[in-house]
């Protein structure tokens, strides 16, 4: 099978082509085209010069939906909700994202107050309807929204997650009064407890749906014009999904490249026999970190999108503004800061010579010798050391220190930001960093990972093959995945196990129909069940596994025991209290043929051609003679002592002084840091 993946990032658009039969692998990247993302996708495919008519599978990770929200370019949305709850968008959590910033404000709602309409109706949390809809009133409300010029309508009624009858009826009335208008119903988008989050999820689906479906339709047509006749899939939050499913639930398309990187890391870790991994994806704009525990990605079902809380089950990714393009500045207090602002693809770092006026992390790495100015993107782009030096010198003058100390300071601040995020996601969930290995990728993961591992007492760093395009490569390891959720408030001791089993059976039937429609055979589909559980009176809940097949009464004890163990791992204790549930979840997976990973040539001696040269590189306050190696000329069994740098077209791996690097059979670079 021939596979193709294109991942659109903030700075570059990455492309990976793999022929399973010949094991031919082509990787490349082109600058992202923010004004027309599809243009960059097509340019990436043309650049690798393949015959797309022979490609059976094309998977695309796109930021089209994310950009629509970030740039506020979505359609005009109207909201219909229960009378008295039109301010639900303001009635959000009281927590502050930036605790010490008194100027911080929550983002403005995507639906302004004048486009929200309440209708008389009421459903209790038990599902009992105490007030029926007034259909005449609903028709009047729809008419007013039409007059106001809305292009899409979001409907989110109180407690419709338990009984969507009134909400479903509003959808029917809208289609009757205004055929063709886009409608998002909350019980179809997010049938979960949490009024504000459910409302935001429904509105975002309505807000960016048109832009996303238009983008995918244009891309599909353009690919057909190029001769592509295979299956087109889109990256989702925990797997890939078909075009029709993505059009019905556009929110699923909001996952970007880091999800592919995390999934690819889990796949590779299993092949290497490594159970616990923390991934570090350093791109041009952001640093993305995730956890793999016992070979499986940690997932979450609620997240934040551009400041808006949403229900979107998938791989947990923590992102901060720390990448190669992160801008370094000296603030009014005389302190050095790095990020979160980024120079992006245009104008980019000062060294690009495209008009950047402020120094970035890439400029600092160039000044201190970590990056070869003549080998950036494999020599396709020549970096301007003089411009980078000018920018870093400005920082040095403001701080009153030398040029190289200023560059080292920029790198250290960026690294400390990355370390803090890694500590937050690991220790914050009860994990000991010393039990994990780091897998580093992205354009700059290998520059920072060795130093971060040393700082965190992590003993091993793994840099996979093609790390510069690893997110795109990781997308090709993902399966078709559809997730389902439904509110289910019960006390564990009074739960009727037959009722719970019926809920799962209905979800599995729906999942089966969807996956078969996407070309998956029944024997390649598996289901994973979960319950959102907590102690009585708790606000936070833990996603707890539930046995498959027909549930028996004894399953209650098994599920409760699983929850107790998970709670103790995360919070360090158990409580003598009744257990309750709030939601039912199902993850349905359609298994795509595994992507092969080729083995490389074995040997012990390092080829003379592998050692490119030596150069002075600044480490920990002084310049050291450092050997520079070409990665594609290293073979399995090669061992390199630091300080050393391993170069490849889209990535640089730094081996710190005192660290040892080995090359394994799959082509991974493994750095042994001497940590715990």
């Amino acid at each position: 099978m021939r596979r193709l993946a294109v991942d659109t990032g903030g700075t570059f658009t990455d492309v990976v082509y793999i022929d399973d039969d010949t094991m031919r692998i082509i990787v490349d990247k082109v600058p992202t085209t923010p004004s027309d993302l599809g243009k960059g996708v097509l340019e990436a495919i043309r650049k690798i010069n393949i015959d797309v008519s022979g490609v059976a599978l094309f998977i695309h990770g796109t930021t089209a939906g994310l950009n629509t929200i970030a740039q506020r370019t979505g359609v005009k949305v109207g909201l219909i909700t229960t009378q008295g709850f039109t301010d639900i968008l303001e009635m959000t959590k009281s927590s502050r994202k930036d605790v010490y910033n008194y100027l911080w404000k929550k983002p403005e709602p995507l639906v302004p107050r004048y486009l929200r309409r309440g209708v008389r109706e009421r459903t209790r949390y038990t599902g009992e309807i105490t007030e029926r809809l007034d259909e005449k009133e609903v028709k009047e409300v729809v008419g007013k929204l039409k007059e106001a010029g809305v292009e899409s309508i979001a409907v989110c009624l109180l407690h419709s997650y338990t009984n969507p009858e009134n909400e479903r009826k509003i959808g029917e009335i809208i289609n009757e009064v205004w055929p063709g208008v886009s409608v998002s119903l909350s019980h179809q988008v997010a049938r979960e407890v949490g009024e504000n989050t459910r409302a935001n999820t429904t509105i975002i689906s309505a807000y960016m749906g048109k832009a996303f479906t238009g983008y995918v339709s244009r891309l599909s047509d353009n690919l057909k014009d190029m001769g592509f006749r295979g299956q087109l899939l889109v990256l989702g939050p925990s797997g890939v999904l078909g075009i029709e499913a993505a059009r019905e639930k556009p929110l699923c398309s909001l996952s970007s490249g880091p999800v592919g990187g995390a999934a690819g890391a889990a796949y590779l870790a299993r092949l290497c026999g490594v159970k616990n991994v923390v991934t570090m994806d350093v791109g041009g704009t952001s640093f993305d970190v995730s956890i793999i525990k016992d070979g499986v990605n940690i997932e979450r079902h609620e997240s934040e999108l551009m400041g808006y809380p949403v229900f979107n089950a998938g791989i947990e990714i923590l992102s901060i503004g720390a990448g190669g393009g992160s801008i370094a500045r000296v603030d009014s207090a005389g302190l050095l800061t790095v990020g979160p602002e980024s120079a992006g693809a245009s104008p980019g770092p000062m060294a690009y010579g495209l008009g950047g006026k402020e120094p970035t992390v890439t400029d600092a790495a160039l000044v201190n010798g970590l990056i070869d100015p003549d080998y950036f993107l494999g020599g396709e782009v020549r970096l301007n050391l003089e411009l980078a030096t000018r920018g870093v010198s400005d920082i040095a003058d403001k701080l009153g220190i030398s040029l190289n100390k200023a560059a080292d300071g920029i790198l250290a601040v960026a690294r400390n930001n990355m370390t803090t995020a890694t500590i937050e996601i690991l220790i914050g969930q009860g994990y000991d960093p010393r039990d994990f290995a780091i897998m580093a990728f992205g354009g700059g993961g290998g520059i920072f990972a060795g130093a971060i591992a040393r700082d965190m007492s992590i003993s091993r760093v793994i840099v996979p093959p093609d790390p510069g395009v690893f997110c795109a490569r990781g997308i090709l390891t993902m399966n078709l995945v559809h997730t389902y959720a439904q509110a289910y408030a019960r006390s564990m001791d009074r739960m009727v196990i037959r009722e719970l089993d019926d809920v799962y059976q209905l979800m599995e039937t729906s999942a089966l129909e969807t996956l078969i429609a996407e070309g998956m055979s029944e024997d390649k589909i598996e289901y994973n069940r979960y319950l959102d559980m907590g102690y009585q009176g708790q606000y936070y809940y833990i996603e707890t596994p539930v046995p498959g097949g027909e549930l028996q009464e004894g399953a209650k004890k098994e599920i409760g025991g699983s929850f107790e163990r998970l709670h103790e791992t995360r919070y360090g204790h158990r409580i003598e209290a009744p257990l309750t549930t709030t939601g039912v979840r199902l993850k349905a997976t359609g298994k795509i043929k595994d992507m092969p990973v080729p083995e490389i040539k074995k040997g012990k001696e390092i080829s003379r051609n592998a050692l490119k040269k030596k150069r002075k590189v600044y480490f920990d306050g002084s310049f050291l003679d450092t050997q520079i190696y070409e990665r594609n000329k290293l073979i399995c069994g090669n061992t390199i002592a630091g300080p050393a740098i391993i170069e490849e077209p889209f990535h640089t791996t730094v081996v710190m002084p005192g660290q040892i690097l080995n090359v394994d059979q799959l082509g991974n670079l493994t750095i042994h840091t001497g940590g715990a």
Side-chain angles (χ1 to χ4, degrees):
M1 182 167 70
R2 297 176 186 176
R3 314 172 193 234
L4 181 66
V6 177
D7 171 41
T8 302
T11 305
F12 290 103
T13 295
D14 300 340
V15 59
V16 174
Y17 168 81
I18 297 179
D19 187 327
D20 292 2
D21 299 323
T22 65
M23 284 316 304
R24 182 188 181 203
I25 301 175
I26 305 174
V27 303
D28 216 321
K29 58 175 64 197
V30 299
T32 292
T33 50
S35 60
D36 183 359
L37 297 178
K39 181 179 178 182
V41 174
L42 299 176
E43 179 59 32
I45 296 172
R46 293 189 189 100
K47 188 178 180 183
I48 62 174
N49 193 29
I50 62 165
D51 180 10
V52 295
S53 65
V55 174
L57 181 66
F58 176 35
I59 306 178
H60 182 34
T62 177
T63 56
L66 283 171
N67 289 357
T68 300
I69 299 166
Q71 298 166 8
R72 299 296 190 273
T73 56
V75 299
K76 193 174 184 179
V77 178
L79 172 66
I80 298 177
T81 187
T82 304
Q83 190 176 69
F85 287 84
T86 49
D87 291 322
I88 191 65
L89 301 185
E90 281 83 9
M91 291 187 282
T92 183
K93 296 177 181 178
S94 60
S95 57
R96 298 175 61 84
K97 185 174 179 60
D98 191 346
V99 177
Y100 300 106
N101 181 4
Y102 67 90
L103 296 176
W104 178 83
K105 294 181 180 179
K106 289 183 172 66
E108 289 293 322
L110 291 173
V111 180
R113 187 68 176 74
Y114 78 96
L115 291 178
R116 304 177 212 164
R117 294 288 187 272
V119 295
R120 289 190 298 275
E121 69 84 35
R122 182 56 63 96
T123 301
R124 298 189 70 227
Y125 71 95
T126 59
E128 176 191 358
I129 296 179
T130 59
E131 185 175 1
R132 296 284 175 180
L133 277 173
D134 181 338
E135 295 188 18
K136 182 179 178 181
E137 180 188 28
V138 174
K139 291 178 180 179
E140 291 175 354
V141 165
V142 174
K144 290 178 180 178
L145 291 176
K146 186 176 183 179
E147 290 175 6
V150 304
E151 301 166 80
S152 182
I153 298 176
V155 184
C156 184
L157 302 183
L158 189 66
H159 302 311
S160 60
Y161 53 82
T162 57
N163 184 353
E165 183 179 333
N166 283 349
E167 195 167 273
R168 193 180 291 119
K169 185 63 179 176
I170 290 178
E172 294 172 359
I173 294 172
I174 294 173
N175 290 328
E176 175 189 337
V177 175
W178 192 359
V181 70
S182 176
V183 181
S184 292
L185 306 177
S186 74
H187 74 274
Q188 295 176 345
V189 176
R191 196 169 177 175
E192 302 189 48
V193 177
E195 299 303 324
N196 175 264
T197 304
R198 186 160 55 90
N200 273 299
T201 305
T202 308
I203 288 167
I204 287 174
S205 181
Y207 184 76
M208 49 73 64
K210 183 178 180 180
F212 170 74
T213 54
Y215 170 80
V216 170
S217 296
R218 290 191 299 274
L219 178 63
S220 179
D221 292 340
N222 289 331
L223 289 171
K224 288 177 181 177
D225 292 341
M226 293 175 71
F228 176 69
R229 296 295 180 267
Q231 186 177 18
L232 174 60
L233 302 176
V234 177
L235 175 64
S238 56
V240 297
L241 60 156
I243 294 301
E244 290 307 315
R247 284 177 175 144
E248 291 175 8
K249 294 185 177 181
L251 195 72
C252 292
S253 71
L254 292 177
S255 301
S256 53
V259 169
Y267 181 76
L268 185 59
R270 290 192 293 270
L271 292 179
C272 297
V274 181
K275 289 187 174 182
N276 301 331
V277 173
V278 56
T279 70
M280 295 183 179
D281 177 6
V282 182
T285 305
S286 65
F287 170 78
D288 306 289
V289 58
S290 69
I291 298 174
I292 298 163
K293 185 75 172 68
D294 295 326
V296 179
N297 295 104
I298 298 294
E299 299 194 359
R300 48 88 185 106
H301 59 266
E302 185 175 350
S303 60
E304 190 175 272
L305 183 66
M306 306 294 176
Y308 301 102
V310 294
F311 289 122
N312 196 23
I315 295 173
E316 180 180 39
I317 306 284
L318 177 61
S319 302
I320 63 170
S326 295
I327 296 172
R329 293 172 178 148
V330 177
D331 66 16
S332 57
L335 299 176
L336 176 63
T337 65
V338 179
E341 294 84 6
S342 173
S346 179
M350 293 182 68
Y352 282 14
L354 299 177
K357 302 297 183 183
E358 295 180 284
T360 66
V361 170
T362 296
D363 295 311
L366 182 62
V367 166
N368 277 0
L370 297 171
I371 297 176
D372 184 346
D374 297 322
Y375 196 61
F376 193 69
L377 298 185
E380 190 174 321
V381 174
R382 190 182 187 284
L383 298 180
N384 190 319
L385 178 59
E386 182 180 346
L387 289 177
T389 300
R390 186 185 306 168
V392 177
S393 293
D394 183 54
I395 298 291
D397 292 342
K398 291 178 180 178
L399 296 175
I401 58 178
S402 70
L403 171 69
N404 296 109
K405 282 187 176 181
D408 198 40
I410 292 170
L411 296 171
V413 172
R415 184 177 72 244
N416 289 342
N417 291 341
M418 298 174 190
T419 302
T420 300
T422 307
I423 289 172
E424 179 181 336
I425 198 170
L426 279 174
I427 298 178
Q429 297 190 54
Y431 298 119
D432 187 337
R434 294 170 296 183
D435 295 334
F436 287 74
I438 291 174
M439 190 172 291
F441 45 90
I447 291 178
F448 294 97
I452 292 174
R454 179 191 61 185
D455 295 344
M456 296 184 66
S457 298
I458 292 175
S459 63
R460 183 167 40 163
V461 172
I462 301 169
V463 181
D466 299 318
V469 294
F470 190 72
C471 289
R473 187 164 173 166
I475 291 172
L476 291 175
T477 69
M478 301 178 78
N479 294 310
L480 281 161
V481 174
H482 293 275
T483 57
Y484 300 82
Q486 180 176 323
Y488 189 77
R490 302 287 190 277
S491 62
M492 198 68 176
D493 57 346
R494 296 183 180 180
M495 179 190 294
V496 178
I497 204 71
R498 184 67 257 169
E499 178 191 54
L500 178 62
D501 191 64
D502 288 343
V503 173
Y504 282 121
Q505 293 297 336
L506 286 172
M507 286 182 170
E508 289 174 6
T509 299
S510 177
L512 178 63
E513 292 174 355
T514 299
L515 286 167
I516 287 178
E518 292 177 338
M520 191 59 58
S521 60
E522 189 170 353
D523 62 311
K524 293 183 179 179
I525 299 174
E526 65 177 35
Y527 307 101
N528 295 101
R529 301 170 169 183
Y530 303 94
L531 271 175
D532 287 347
M533 295 186 63
Y535 290 112
Q536 185 173 314
Q538 276 188 331
Y539 177 72
Y540 295 99
Y541 297 89
I542 295 177
E543 196 172 286
T544 306
V546 173
E550 185 175 343
L551 294 176
Q552 305 298 326
E553 194 64 29
K556 285 186 182 183
K557 185 176 181 180
E558 183 180 347
I559 297 167
S562 295
F563 166 78
E564 297 275 10
R565 289 189 292 273
L566 287 168
H567 191 280
E568 187 169 19
T569 297
R570 181 167 297 184
Y571 300 111
H573 65 280
R574 302 186 185 198
I575 299 173
E576 291 295 330
L579 303 182
T580 61
T581 70
T582 59
V584 175
R585 299 186 183 278
L586 177 76
K587 179 180 178 181
T589 303
K591 183 70 176 176
I592 296 175
K593 181 183 175 183
D594 282 340
M595 187 187 75
V597 178
E599 296 184 354
I600 65 172
K601 181 181 176 181
K602 293 182 181 179
K604 290 186 178 179
E605 298 296 325
I606 298 176
S607 167
R608 291 183 179 180
N609 294 330
L611 180 59
K612 298 172 68 173
K613 57 185 175 181
K614 287 185 178 181
R615 70 168 178 258
K616 298 283 187 180
V617 180
Y618 196 83
F619 287 105
D620 297 325
S622 62
F623 279 100
L624 299 177
D625 287 328
T626 303
Q627 292 181 318
I628 314 298
Y629 294 87
E630 182 69 38
R631 179 169 183 171
N632 64 10
K633 296 185 179 167
L634 297 175
I635 60 175
C636 174
N638 286 170
T639 299
I640 297 171
I645 288 178
I646 319 299
E647 293 183 339
E648 53 191 301
F650 308 125
H651 190 82
T652 298
T653 300
V654 176
V655 186
M656 304 289 291
Q659 297 180 347
I660 303 293
L661 179 144
N662 297 119
V663 184
D664 73 13
Q665 198 163 342
L666 296 179
N668 297 304
L669 306 180
T670 301
I671 302 173
H672 300 276
T673 68

